[in-house]
Every structure is written in structure tokens, then in C-alpha cells.
Amino acid sequence: MAALRTAATAAGPVRLTLSGLTLTPGCIMLCAEPSGDAIERLYDAYEEALGEDGWLEADFDRNIWYSTLVHFTRPLTNPQAVVDWVSERRELALGQVECRHVELVVYRFNGSRIVMETLDTVSLIHRP
């Protein structure tokens, strides 16, 4: 968690352009495209702050930013309808969002479903 706090000082607010939907076998996601380089500075600073613990990030070049909107918990009754619906929304001009904090989260199975647990929340707004 200290690495996230260290990295947050390198970036400032992250601006994203919300650009459309995409689909995976397990979810529907809202796609975002970085506006400026703040997100890359944050990502790089986090990798550096992790040091040896950043081995997983070291060889990974993120080319998609997204937010999960719907997580499927069982097989879909009409998967083609979902594919068609998302396909019609692959490109949407949904505007921009400014992210003023970052969260470190883990996903855990609680015996019946996947739940997100926030380990830490750090502000990206730096005040003197």
C-alpha cells in the first residue's frame, strides 16, 4: 500500500475519455482512453515503487483501460442478444471523467460470488 501512496504523488488527477463498451466471456466493460499522460506516469511510478515486488508489472504494457459494468455470474440465457447489444455500443461518445483518487483492490470469492475489497484509497490531488 505504501507503493501506491508513493506513486500517487507522481501523477495528479487522471483524465479518461469514455469511448464505448466491450465484452469478455465474463463481463461487459466500459472502455476508456487516457487524456494526457497522467495515467502512464502513475502506472510507471507504481511499478517503480513496488521494486522487486513489481515483477508482474515490469513486462506488461497496458493497452486497455476499462471499468467493469456487468459481471456475469452464470451462463447467459441469450448470449447472442448480449453480443449484439454490446456491438451496437462499441463506440460511444460518453465524455470525459477526471479520477481524483486511486484504489488498490482485490477480488475474492466469498463462497457464492466475486466481491471487490478495497485495500487502500489514495488521493491524486496534491495540496501544498
Side-chain angles (χ1 to χ4, degrees):
M1 289 184 261
L4 184 62
R5 292 184 176 277
T6 299
T9 64
V14 170
R15 290 173 185 80
L16 300 168
T17 300
L18 307 178
S19 58
L21 302 183
T22 194
L23 184 64
T24 74
C27 65
I28 297 173
M29 298 184 300
L30 172 63
C31 296
E33 298 171 18
S35 300
D37 67 348
I39 201 165
E40 291 299 329
R41 285 184 286 131
L42 176 62
Y43 196 74
D44 291 345
Y46 187 56
E47 177 188 339
E48 183 177 325
L50 284 170
E52 290 182 14
D53 290 333
W55 61 269
L56 182 62
E57 308 299 324
D59 295 327
F60 184 73
D61 184 26
R62 180 167 294 282
N63 61 5
I64 183 173
W65 299 95
Y66 61 88
S67 177
T68 302
L69 298 177
V70 178
H71 179 82
F72 307 131
T73 60
R74 60 179 60 111
L76 300 172
T77 56
N78 188 348
Q80 189 59 51
V82 175
V83 169
D84 294 344
W85 187 86
V86 171
S87 293
E88 293 168 4
R89 292 157 179 83
R90 291 282 291 172
E91 294 184 23
L92 294 172
L94 297 171
Q96 288 195 334
V97 63
E98 181 178 86
C99 304
R100 295 172 174 238
H101 72 277
V102 62
E103 293 183 349
L104 180 61
V105 301
V106 293
Y107 294 89
R108 301 187 194 279
F109 183 68
N110 72 0
S112 62
R113 62 187 173 95
I114 301 293
V115 294
M116 184 175 73
E117 177 185 340
T118 299
L119 301 177
D120 199 8
T121 301
V122 180
S123 175
L124 294 173
I125 305 296
H126 310 294
R127 295 187 171 88

